[in-house]
C-alpha cells in the first residue's frame, strides 16, 4: 500500500517569494534600507562629520561652478555671429546688439539684446539670441519682407505682410507693387478714413494683395485704396480689378481666376460681390 510520497531533498520547492525574483525589486526598495541601516550604524559623531563633509563638498562644487561661469576665462564671449540677414549687414546687427567680447556667456541678457535689435532695426521681424557654449552668441535674424510700397517724395516706404511700415528706401525693390491711398478723400472716402484711419486702410490693402490668386499676383502693379470697401488692383496690360473690401478674399480670388479663364482678353473685372461678378472690355 502506497503512502504519501516525500519530495527528494534536491527537489525541494522554494517558498513563494524567495530567490532571485524577490531580490529584483525597484532600486529604492533594496538600496535605500541598506543606506539607512549603514547611516544608523555610523553613530551620531560620524553622522555629523559626514553631513559636514557633504555640505562642504556642495559648497565647493557650487563655488567652483559659479567661478567657472562668471569668474574664469573659460566660458566667455569670443564671437558674436549673425545669420538670416539679407538687407541688413551683420556688422550693423552686431553693433546694435552690443554684446561685449570677453563678457561671461552666462551673464549675457538675451532678452535685452533682442529688445535692442527690434527697437533700433525695424526691419527685423524676429530675432533669437542664442548662447552657444562655450564661447559664442548667435543672433538668428528674420527680416521683414515688403508686400507693398508707398511712394512719397521720390522715396519708398516698405510695408510688410502685417501692414507694418518698417523702412524707407531710395530705390523700389523689384517685383513689389505700389500702394496708393486717397490723399484727398471726399464723401465716403473721407468718412472711411476718419473711421478706420490710414493704418487700418494700409492693412486692408495688404490683406487684398495677399488674397490675390497666384495667376495674377505677379502682374500686380498698384493697389489703390479709396475707402475701406473700395479697393482696386491695377495689373499689367491695363487690366483693373475692382475688389471692394478685404473680406471674402478667398472667394473673390476663386471668382477672379474663373473670370480670367472665361474672358482672357477682358480688361475690367469686378469681384466686389463674388456671387455676382462682372467683366467688361476687350
Amino acid at each position: 500500500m502506497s503512502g504519501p510520497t516525500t519530495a527528494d531533498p534536491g527537489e525541494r520547492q522554494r517558498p513563494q517569494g524567495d530567490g532571485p525574483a524577490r531580490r529584483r525589486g525597484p532600486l529604492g526598495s533594496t538600496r535605500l534600507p541598506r543606506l539607512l541601516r549603514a547611516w544608523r550604524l555610523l553613530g551620531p559623531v560620524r553622522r555629523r562629520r559626514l553631513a559636514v563633509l557633504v555640505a562642504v563638498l556642495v559648497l565647493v562644487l557650487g563655488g567652483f561652478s559659479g567661478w567657472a561661469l562668471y569668474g574664469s576665462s573659460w566660458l566667455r564671449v569670443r564671437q558674436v555671429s549673425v545669420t538670416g540677414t539679407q538687407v541688413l549687414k551683420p556688422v550693423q546687427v552686431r553693433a546694435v546688439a552690443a554684446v561685449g567680447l570677453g563678457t561671461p556667456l552666462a551673464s549675457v541678457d538675451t532678452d535685452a539684446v533682442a529688445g535692442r535689435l527690434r527697437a533700433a532695426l525695424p526691419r527685423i521681424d524676429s530675432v533669437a539670441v542664442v548662447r552657444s557654449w562655450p564661447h559664442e552668441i548667435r543672433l538668428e535674424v528674420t527680416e521683414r519682407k515688403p508686400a507693398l510700397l508707398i511712394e512719397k517724395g521720390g522715396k519708398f516706404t516698405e510695408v510688410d505682410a502685417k501692414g507694418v511700415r518698417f523702412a524707407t528706401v531710395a530705390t523700389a525693390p523689384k517685383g513689389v507693387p505700389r500702394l496708393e491711398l486717397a490723399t484727398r478723400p471726399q464723401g465716403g472716402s473721407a468718412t472711411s478714413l476718419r473711421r478706420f484711419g490710414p493704418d487700418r486702410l494700409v492693412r486692408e490693402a495688404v490683406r487684398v494683395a495677399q488674397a490675390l490668386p497666384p495667376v495674377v499676383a505677379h502682374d500686380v502693379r498698384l493697389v489703390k485704396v479709396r475707402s475701406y470697401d473700395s479697393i482696386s488692383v491695377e495689373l499689367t496690360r491695363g487690366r483693373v480689378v475692382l475688389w471692394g473690401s478685404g473680406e471674402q478674399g478667398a472667394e473673390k480670388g476663386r471668382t477672379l481666376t474663373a473670370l480670367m479663364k472665361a474672358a482672357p482678353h477682358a480688361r475690367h473685372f469686378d469681384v466686389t460681390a463674388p456671387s455676382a461678378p462682372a467683366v467688361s472690355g476687350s
Side-chain angles (χ1 to χ4, degrees):
M1 180 174 177
S2 61
T5 60
T6 59
D8 185 83
E11 297 179 355
R12 284 198 194 107
Q13 296 180 351
R14 289 188 180 127
Q16 188 174 3
D18 281 356
R22 192 173 196 179
R23 291 193 294 270
R24 293 195 198 107
L27 182 63
S29 66
T30 55
R31 291 189 178 181
L32 186 58
R34 292 176 184 175
L35 291 174
L36 289 175
R37 286 196 296 270
W39 175 260
R40 290 169 183 164
L41 290 174
L42 286 175
V45 175
R46 290 185 177 180
R47 286 202 297 266
R48 284 194 297 271
R49 289 176 179 174
L50 182 58
V52 170
L53 179 61
V54 170
V56 170
L57 183 60
V58 170
L59 289 174
V60 170
L61 289 176
F64 177 79
S65 299
W67 173 80
L69 287 173
Y70 298 98
S72 75
S73 60
W74 300 343
L75 304 175
R76 292 180 177 265
V77 179
R78 296 182 183 175
Q79 180 180 358
V80 179
S81 62
V82 180
T83 61
T85 56
Q86 296 180 356
V87 178
L88 295 171
K89 303 297 183 184
V91 64
Q92 180 183 8
V93 175
R94 279 193 289 267
V96 173
V99 178
L101 297 181
T103 303
L105 203 63
S107 68
V108 175
D109 189 337
T110 57
D111 290 338
V113 173
R116 286 197 297 271
L117 288 169
R118 287 193 298 266
L121 301 173
R123 186 175 291 277
I124 292 179
D125 186 20
S126 63
V127 58
V129 181
V130 182
R131 293 185 184 90
S132 182
W133 302 92
H135 302 301
E136 183 182 10
I137 289 291
R138 293 203 315 271
L139 307 176
E140 300 173 355
V141 173
T142 301
E143 291 186 4
R144 300 182 189 274
K145 298 184 182 299
L148 293 173
L149 300 171
I150 301 176
E151 184 178 3
K152 185 177 181 180
K155 294 186 177 181
F156 302 88
T157 299
E158 296 177 306
V159 182
D160 74 355
K162 302 173 185 176
V164 177
R165 309 182 199 195
F166 62 91
T168 299
V169 295
T171 304
K174 293 182 178 180
V176 182
R178 289 188 300 114
L179 166 61
E180 181 182 300
L181 290 173
T183 55
R184 294 181 180 178
Q186 297 178 355
S189 298
T191 302
S192 181
L193 185 61
R194 287 195 301 270
R195 179 180 177 185
F196 298 103
D199 290 340
R200 174 66 183 278
L201 295 181
V202 167
R203 290 195 297 271
E204 200 67 13
V206 172
R207 183 181 176 192
V208 169
Q210 297 294 308
L212 290 168
V215 69
V216 298
H218 62 279
D219 288 337
V220 178
R221 294 293 177 264
L222 176 68
V223 178
K224 185 179 293 186
V225 180
R226 296 187 182 279
S227 66
Y228 176 84
D229 55 3
S230 180
I231 300 174
S232 61
V233 180
E234 295 184 8
L235 309 176
T236 56
R237 303 196 305 273
R239 295 170 296 167
V240 177
V241 179
L242 301 180
W243 192 270
S245 72
E247 298 174 5
Q248 297 179 284
E251 187 176 352
K252 290 177 180 180
R254 289 191 296 268
T255 301
L256 179 60
T257 301
L259 288 178
M260 288 187 161
K261 287 182 178 179
H265 301 294
R267 298 183 62 185
H268 298 277
F269 305 88
D270 187 343
V271 294
T272 54
S275 59
V279 60
S280 63
S282 60

